[in-house]
Amino acid sequence: MIEECQDKICYLTQERDYARTHQKIVEIPVEKPVLYEKCEACNRTAYQNAKAKYETQKERLAGQYKAKTVMFQTTLFLLAWYSLTTTLFQAVQSDMFLVDCKSFFNDLASFIQTFVGWTIDAGHSAAQISTKIPNAFIAGMVYWLLLILIVGICMAGTGMLAILIEIKVIELYKKNCWDVITLLMILTSVAIVIYFGESIKKVLSVNLLLLFVLSQGAYVGIRCYLKVWLEKRPY
């Protein structure tokens, strides 16, 4: 009995191995459903009507969205213009703010004048090398050439550096701060500096216009830091 079962098991094992080594792959066609719009034999009237209705609603909603966007931007521009004009009128009437503005620009002009004077003095000092030339005519030409060259290089280099810094600041400003929040921040800062200028001067002995510029610089720095921090933040 046991031998008979073993023979059957051996026979079935051989059948299984034979089936594995001699099996044949047969492709059986299967019907696959397709989308309604791709079926050429169907009636496309319902699909065309639904599509036309969708396009109409889409255009209508797009027009409504555009109109509301224009209305919002117009309202925001008018509010900003009103706030700016009233603030500027108040600034004109504020003697303290006008005095600080004049002082700020006078100090800026004095700094530029001092820098130009330092540059010319440096050019004169460097051009003294020409005194070692025995020929007076050649020495004079070398002196003025060195003076013009040194002063021109210093002034051009400083100007290019200032332009590059300005371009970089404008790029950062447009990239990180070109939005409604910045507009509100500027208007709020100007209003605070103008309307509360006397109180600020009592607490801090600082130029109001310089304080406004520093506050804007701090605001731009904070916005740039927050944007970088949010981009690197793992989610």
Side-chain angles (χ1 to χ4, degrees), residues 75-88 183 187:
T75 304
L76 184 63
F77 174 77
L78 292 176
L79 289 175
W81 177 258
Y82 173 76
S83 302
L84 183 62
T85 51
T86 53
T87 305
L88 290 178
L183 178 61
L187 293 176

Side-chain angles (χ1 to χ4, degrees), residues 94-104 107 192-212:
S94 177
D95 295 333
M96 183 174 295
F97 185 77
L98 292 178
V99 170
D100 283 352
C101 287
K102 293 179 181 179
S103 176
F104 178 82
D107 293 340
I192 291 175
V193 168
I194 292 174
Y195 287 100
F196 301 99
E198 295 182 359
S199 301
I200 294 173
K201 295 285 285 187
K202 291 179 181 179
V203 178
L204 298 174
S205 180
V206 63
N207 189 286
L208 294 178
L209 186 57
L210 179 62
L211 179 63
F212 171 74

Side-chain angles (χ1 to χ4, degrees), residues 43-81:
N43 185 8
R44 298 174 59 88
T45 304
Y47 168 73
Q48 295 292 345
N49 292 336
K51 184 178 179 181
K53 185 177 180 181
Y54 165 76
E55 294 293 339
T56 303
Q57 292 180 353
K58 181 180 178 181
E59 292 178 359
R60 180 172 57 84
L61 292 175
Q64 292 178 357
Y65 174 77
K66 185 176 181 180
K68 290 182 179 180
T69 303
V70 172
M71 184 180 298
F72 172 76
Q73 292 178 351
T74 304
T75 304
L76 184 63
F77 174 77
L78 292 176
L79 289 175
W81 177 258

